[in-house]
Amino acid sequence: MLFIPLLILSIILYIVGNRISSVLIFFFFLFDGFQIVPEVLFNTHFGISKSIDFAFIYLISIFMYGFVKYEDYIPVNRITKLIMIYLSFIIVSIGISLLYYHIDLFEIIRTSRSYFFLLSYFIIRRLTKEEMTKLLKILFIVVLFQCCLFIIQAFTGIALLTGAESGRSGVITRFYNVPLMLYFIVFYAIFHNPYNGWQKIITTIIPSVTMFLPLHRSLTIAFILCLFIGIYIKIGGIKKIVKYFPFLLILILPILLIVTKATGERTLTDIESVLNGEFIEVGDDFELNQESTFMFRMAHFFERFIDVTESNVGIIFGTGFMTEDSEYTYRHFNYQIGLTSDDTGDTVQLDTSDICWSNFIVRYGVIGTLLYIYIFFSITYIYNKDVKVIGLPIILYMILLFIVSFTSDLMYQNRMLIFPLLLYNLLPIEYEIVEIKYSKQIAQIK
């Protein structure tokens, strides 16, 4: 009950024109109460139990209001076309889940509601460029505060952000609850920082250091790779990179050595096992060492891929939008590879945070997964037109999400696309608007 008044306030604020505050509250709900408010406080006992439920209610309420209020609410541009292609697939998949798989409608709604967060583009685009820039700066400050808490976590071992799961302890305690908005904000801080002087230095170092503290080998490699790509684009050539390389090495090498020592011991063994095809041996006698994380992920994906591709409907649409804890899931699935549920002690069948491709193949099928990849990179390519300014942080962010998709589910989470949607109207697209107006004028003359 605590956050229902805040939800109502956010809707009212949007309607009366205070859209920065309204959308900021939406981000608060969308990103788990900024990972500061415990999830249990969002439980209302009226079917709303998570912060993302509040975000969904906000989304649907404001979208319906805007659709009725504004004639040009849904613009004709590339983002809109991509969103409509994706949502058309989701709507058909909902129909398949209901009529072909006979999954309960309530389960379908629970599972598919997060897929509709791409509609947030139509809400956010009503903000002016000045409002978007101001909102982005506020979110930047929020993430800086989250980073400070995460850094304290890492060196004290005391969980300060929600969703804390810690691993091996030493000088640094390995926590997994990285600020969700950090993956974009770190590139925003490095390549499009709104501050100057010593403030710019501090606000760049804090999120950059935080990226290394999870001691996550794939995240570390992906971040460093994206960093060099960004520097290459921003500075403009290999020769200039070589000039600054010693300074970059001094900054990165100590942290990289710590991460490598803490997480790199399993890498060669995992890669060798995967190349040998050992993950194909899925069966009752198949065992994975708890340290074989990458091999576990490949086995997890492969088992589900084999199952999904046994039917034509599965290839196109996946296995349906059932929930993890439903009777339908217990009756129809018996995967052997997966984490153990804390509640039931059984293998988690459908959802995983370890690799997004298992989620994609189960929910979207092969064709749906390829469609999502097309949409994902089409959105990325749009920012190529402004690659040396606001487009660069987005492109690097999307590349990072793709690289770590083999070790996390971030790319599968539609809410992670909120930043490309937010920044789209900051791109120099005046010629598109002129083209649309010109086309309308021609039509009227005819």
Side-chain angles (χ1 to χ4, degrees):
M1 298 296 290
L2 181 63
F3 290 101
I4 290 180
L6 184 62
L7 173 63
I8 296 173
L9 176 63
S10 66
I11 295 173
I12 294 173
L13 287 172
Y14 191 92
I15 293 174
V16 301
N18 193 341
R19 289 172 182 161
I20 294 178
S21 300
S22 177
V23 175
L24 182 62
I25 296 172
F26 172 60
F27 271 82
F28 170 78
F29 289 135
L30 188 63
F31 290 101
D32 302 339
F34 292 146
Q35 295 168 262
I36 298 172
V37 179
E39 194 71 60
V40 67
L41 295 180
F42 290 99
N43 195 336
T44 64
H45 304 293
F46 295 108
I48 304 175
S49 59
K50 299 179 180 179
S51 64
I52 204 167
D53 294 332
F54 286 89
F56 181 72
I57 295 171
Y58 173 95
L59 172 73
I60 298 301
S61 301
I62 298 299
F63 179 80
M64 292 177 62
Y65 164 78
F67 188 79
V68 174
K69 175 72 174 178
Y70 304 105
E71 293 183 1
D72 62 339
Y73 194 67
I74 299 180
V76 180
N77 59 35
R78 283 178 290 176
I79 286 286
T80 297
K81 292 176 183 177
L82 292 171
I83 291 174
M84 292 308 169
I85 291 172
Y86 171 75
L87 291 182
S88 296
F89 175 81
I90 293 301
I91 290 171
V92 173
S93 296
I94 289 174
I96 295 294
S97 297
L98 184 65
L99 302 176
Y100 180 81
Y101 288 119
H102 304 292
I103 301 171
D104 182 76
L105 181 60
F106 181 68
E107 287 186 43
I108 296 173
I109 294 173
R110 283 180 58 193
T111 303
S112 64
R113 68 186 187 277
S114 63
Y115 303 146
F116 288 88
F117 279 117
L118 290 186
L119 290 175
S120 58
Y121 164 69
F122 303 109
I123 295 172
I124 294 172
R125 68 175 291 269
R126 306 307 303 187
L127 276 68
T128 65
K129 289 187 177 182
E130 291 75 19
E131 288 174 329
M132 288 183 183
T133 302
K134 186 175 181 180
L135 174 65
L136 199 55
K137 193 171 183 178
I138 294 172
L139 293 173
F140 186 24
I141 295 171
V142 170
V143 174
L144 288 174
F145 177 70
Q146 290 178 308
C147 287
C148 290
L149 295 180
F150 192 87
I151 291 171
I152 295 172
Q153 279 189 169
F155 288 100
T156 64
I158 301 172
L160 298 175
L161 294 174
T162 59
E165 292 183 20
S166 60
R168 183 171 45 255
S169 296
V171 177
I172 298 176
T173 301
R174 187 181 184 186
F175 281 94
Y176 303 100
N177 55 341
V178 181
L180 291 169
M181 294 188 290
L182 171 64
Y183 302 103
F184 165 72
I185 290 297
V186 67
F187 296 117
Y188 175 75
I190 295 171
F191 296 105
H192 199 69
N193 199 305
Y195 295 100
N196 296 305
W198 64 268
Q199 291 180 317
K200 182 175 182 178
I201 295 173
I202 293 175
T203 56
T204 300
I205 290 176
I206 291 175
S208 299
V209 170
T210 306
M211 288 291 288
F212 292 100
L213 292 181
L215 303 179
H216 196 301
R217 54 183 172 177
S218 63
L219 177 60
T220 300
I221 294 170
F223 176 58
I224 293 175
L225 177 61
C226 290
L227 191 60
F228 276 102
I229 293 173
I231 292 172
Y232 174 79
I233 294 172
K234 193 75 172 180
I235 294 179
I238 294 294
K239 291 183 179 179
K240 292 184 178 180
I241 289 180
V242 171
K243 179 181 177 181
Y244 294 102
F245 184 76
F247 301 101
L248 293 171
L249 200 61
I250 292 172
L251 177 63
I252 294 175
L253 189 58
I255 302 175
L256 186 59
L257 289 174
I258 294 173
V259 175
T260 302
K261 186 177 186 302
T263 66
E265 299 172 357
R266 308 184 305 267
T267 305
L268 293 177
T269 302
D270 284 355
I271 292 175
E272 183 181 355
S273 298
V274 171
L275 290 176
N276 290 337
E278 293 181 23
F279 63 89
I280 298 176
E281 302 173 16
V282 178
D284 293 335
D285 59 344
F286 180 74
E287 293 183 2
L288 284 173
N289 185 285
Q290 62 179 349
E291 298 297 319
S292 302
T293 54
F294 188 65
M295 186 179 173
F296 169 82
R297 291 180 175 102
M298 291 299 98
H300 190 281
F301 167 75
F302 187 79
E303 182 185 21
R304 285 149 182 79
F305 178 82
I306 292 297
D307 180 54
V308 168
T309 54
E310 287 182 351
S311 71
N312 292 331
V313 175
I315 291 173
I316 300 173
F317 297 106
T319 60
F321 294 158
M322 72 295 294
T323 56
E324 178 66 49
D325 57 353
S326 68
E327 288 294 330
Y328 182 96
T329 300
Y330 293 141
R331 292 196 308 268
H332 290 82
F333 299 97
N334 187 31
Y335 297 129
Q336 301 299 309
I337 308 299
L339 299 178
T340 302
S341 171
D342 294 333
D343 298 326
T344 64
D346 299 325
T347 299
V348 176
Q349 297 293 302
L350 304 175
D351 302 319
T352 178
S353 60
D354 286 328
I355 176 171
C356 78
W357 301 105
S358 293
N359 297 327
F360 277 133
I361 208 71
V362 168
R363 299 303 189 181
Y364 295 165
V366 177
I367 302 301
T369 298
L370 293 175
L371 177 65
Y372 187 89
I373 293 172
Y374 165 75
I375 292 170
F376 182 87
F377 283 107
S378 295
I379 293 175
T380 306
Y381 181 75
I382 288 173
Y383 284 88
N384 184 59
K385 67 172 63 178
D386 198 28
V387 70
K388 287 197 174 183
V389 191
I390 195 63
L392 182 57
I394 289 293
I395 290 174
L396 299 178
Y397 167 66
M398 300 291 270
I399 292 173
L400 179 79
L401 291 184
F402 178 74
I403 295 175
V404 300
S405 66
F406 298 94
T407 56
S408 76
D409 68 338
L410 292 173
M411 184 176 166
Y412 173 73
Q413 299 181 36
N414 277 353
R415 60 180 173 178
M416 302 305 288
L417 294 178
I418 194 73
F419 287 106
L421 302 182
L422 171 64
L423 272 61
Y424 180 72
N425 279 10
L426 296 180
L427 289 175
I429 56 173
E430 289 81 2
Y431 69 90
E432 289 188 2
I433 298 174
V434 171
E435 183 180 349
I436 293 170
K437 289 183 177 179
Y438 179 74
S439 300
K440 289 182 178 179
Q441 290 173 356
I442 295 295
Q444 289 174 355
I445 292 173
K446 289 182 179 180

